[in-house]
Amino acid sequence: MKILAVNAGSSSLKFTLFELPKTEAIASGVFEKIGLKDSFYTIKYDGEKTRKEVYLKDHSVAVDYLIKDLVDMHIVSSLNEIEGVGHRILHGGAEFTHPVILNEDVVARISKYNELGPLHNPANLLGVEAFMKALPGVINVGVFDTGFHQTMDEEHFLYPVPYEWYEKYGVRRYGYHGTSHRYIYKTICNHFGKDNLKVISCHIGNGASITAIDSGKVVDTTLGFSSLVGLIMGTRCGDIDVAIVQYMMKKTGKSIDEVMDDLYKRSGLLGISGVSSDSRDVEIAAEEGNKRAILANEMYAQKIANYIAMYNNELGGADVITLTAGIGENSKAMRKAILEKIASLGVKLDEQRNDFRGEFRLISTDDSKIPVYVVPTDEEMEIALETYEIKIKNN
């Protein structure tokens, strides 16, 4: 069965076509600068990459090009081979806790949460509408970044603010990167042949979050009402004293939107290092002796270590720690820095095992109290698998 996994952004549309249940990626691609005159798209298939420069007026036009090329490039013999389309949707509030079949009514209900995910949700739904129009009769499934985290208990998802803020306005911890954390949890459970593990899942990239999971249920997660809190990220600040916002407004004369823009786009690794939001550039600068880059890396690793220690306590002792995403999968230096800072938990790094990039691998020693694995994430695969399961159930 062929399933498309789709991630629509405000001016982009990414896709991967999978053959399931073999979990084989057949083709992938991205449509960029949708709505702009210099728009283009690329498709990777059979070891080759094809680029076409065309005017993509909107997401519907992008989808039309996609489904045409799937046939013209002989990726599929006909569109009838595509039996499902899975869509990444950022926010489903507390209502959408599991993947759901999309129709006009469900799309309208999801749109109520657009104000909670203003940069992503409207764009995600544009992709949904485009595929519903282009492939009528094909099942469309929404997979929510927030969904996995809705298993948290009140003591973990509520904030210590006036309770009516939660009752009237939905102020609570929602959590993000849920599709990645779910995929990582399933993968590590399959590796151990168990389904009741206590896992600390560390999604460490330009955006970053850590999730504590017990027997498939989220206990706690670092991202909250927004994607601004928790760990230090590429350009986002993570945890700060909220009074700083008011203070900087008074000191600089900036509006609240301008200060929040600074916290979203000019903070994190970029703000501390002054070098870049890209951890690779910061790592190089640190190796060259740049003091602010060294400081940025130290702060980054320490914050991750602190949350791992806290979540180990919340879980009553983790069975395994996993590292994933761009930094977690590829930076042996950052992995080493993090593990050295959690030595008090009995975690021991095997430096020889840690000398690699982008593979599933154990990096702790055999006598480490908690084993640590690098587990490459595949959110598109998880979206496709969730869509496949719903398709099978509804046949």
Side-chain angles (χ1 to χ4, degrees):
M1 182 186 299
K2 291 181 174 62
I3 301 289
L4 269 171
V6 175
N7 184 354
S10 58
S11 61
S12 66
L13 188 146
K14 299 178 183 178
F15 80 92
T16 304
L17 180 66
F18 290 95
E19 178 68 44
L20 295 172
K22 291 192 293 184
T23 65
E24 174 189 354
I26 301 171
S28 63
V30 57
F31 291 75
E32 301 187 51
K33 297 188 176 182
I34 295 173
L36 302 177
K37 291 182 180 179
D38 56 344
S39 55
F40 66 96
Y41 67 95
T42 55
I43 294 179
K44 295 179 182 178
Y45 172 62
D46 199 23
E48 296 186 6
K49 183 176 181 179
T50 302
R51 174 181 168 124
K52 296 185 180 181
E53 297 183 6
V54 296
Y55 177 51
L56 303 170
K57 178 183 177 183
D58 54 32
H59 287 73
S60 292
V61 172
V63 171
D64 287 342
Y65 273 109
L66 169 58
I67 61 176
K68 181 178 184 298
D69 277 7
L70 288 176
V71 176
D72 291 350
M73 294 173 68
H74 306 292
I75 299 171
V76 297
S77 57
S78 77
L79 294 178
N80 291 332
E81 289 187 38
I82 301 173
E83 297 191 50
V85 183
H87 298 265
R88 182 252 184 169
I89 299 177
L90 177 78
H91 218 300
E95 178 179 359
F96 293 98
T97 60
H98 295 86
V100 63
I101 295 175
L102 299 168
N103 54 40
E104 290 185 5
D105 175 63
V106 172
V107 169
R109 286 160 53 199
I110 294 170
S111 67
K112 294 186 301 181
Y113 304 105
N114 285 1
E115 64 179 342
L116 297 177
L119 298 179
H120 297 87
N121 260 41
N124 299 155
L125 295 181
L126 284 175
V128 172
E129 291 166 357
F131 274 98
M132 289 175 71
K133 177 183 176 182
L135 296 173
V138 174
I139 190 171
N140 284 264
V141 174
V143 180
F144 301 88
D145 265 18
T146 52
F148 187 44
H149 301 297
Q150 303 316 300
T151 54
M152 282 188 290
D153 294 330
E154 281 189 329
E155 65 185 272
H156 291 111
F157 74 66
L158 286 178
Y159 290 109
V161 295
Y163 194 77
E164 64 181 23
W165 290 12
Y166 166 60
E167 292 181 303
K168 292 183 179 180
Y169 309 112
V171 174
R172 53 160 288 173
R173 184 180 303 278
Y174 289 103
Y176 300 92
H177 297 144
T179 306
S180 175
H181 289 298
R182 184 193 289 114
Y183 177 84
I184 296 300
Y185 184 78
K186 288 163 64 174
T187 301
I188 201 67
C189 283
N190 286 338
H191 175 72
F192 280 97
K194 298 179 179 180
D195 59 4
N196 61 345
L197 292 176
K198 295 179 179 181
V199 177
I200 300 174
S201 173
C202 306
H203 180 107
I204 310 170
N206 192 265
S209 65
I210 300 180
T211 295
I213 310 166
D214 186 352
S215 301
K217 181 178 181 292
V218 173
V219 175
D220 208 347
T221 190
T222 57
L223 290 176
F225 179 77
S226 74
S227 59
L228 192 61
V229 297
L231 307 177
I232 295 169
M233 292 169 256
T235 63
R236 285 174 264 172
C237 60
D239 294 334
I240 64 166
D241 185 335
V242 295
I244 292 171
V245 176
Q246 182 187 46
Y247 178 80
M248 290 307 298
M249 289 173 64
K250 290 179 177 179
K251 283 292 185 180
T252 64
K254 290 184 176 182
S255 68
I256 188 168
D257 288 341
E258 290 172 322
V259 174
M260 293 301 289
D261 198 54
D262 285 339
L263 296 177
Y264 269 106
K265 299 179 181 179
R266 285 174 284 279
S267 300
L269 287 177
L270 173 62
I272 302 163
S273 71
V275 173
S276 173
S277 63
D278 192 311
S279 64
R280 292 167 295 188
D281 297 332
V282 177
E283 202 168 287
I284 291 170
E287 290 171 356
E288 294 173 348
N290 184 306
K291 291 183 179 180
R292 283 178 57 183
I294 294 170
L295 174 63
N297 280 337
E298 282 294 310
M299 292 175 64
Y300 189 89
Q302 188 64 63
K303 178 65 77 170
I304 292 169
N306 290 351
Y307 268 107
I308 290 174
M310 182 172 74
Y311 285 174
N312 185 65
N313 181 61
E314 288 192 29
L315 289 171
D319 295 317
V320 62
I321 297 168
T322 60
L323 306 175
T324 193
I327 299 172
E329 294 173 27
N330 298 301
S331 176
K332 64 179 182 180
M334 184 54 68
R335 294 194 298 254
K336 178 181 179 181
I338 293 167
L339 266 61
E340 286 177 345
K341 292 180 184 297
I342 56 173
S344 63
L345 301 181
V347 172
K348 298 180 182 179
L349 174 71
D350 185 315
E351 296 210 31
Q352 186 173 355
R353 288 175 176 174
N354 189 44
D355 189 16
F356 74 101
R357 291 167 55 91
E359 299 175 14
F360 182 103
R361 192 178 292 189
L362 174 71
I363 62 170
S364 54
T365 61
D366 291 339
D367 63 342
S368 178
K369 187 172 181 180
I370 308 173
V372 182
Y373 282 80
V374 173
V375 184
T377 192
D378 193 337
E379 294 172 82
E380 291 77 17
M381 174 64 75
E382 181 63 21
I383 290 169
L385 288 169
E386 297 284 355
T387 303
Y388 174 77
E389 290 177 9
I390 287 183
K391 172 66 177 176
I392 293 296
K393 290 177 183 177
N394 286 270
N395 269 351

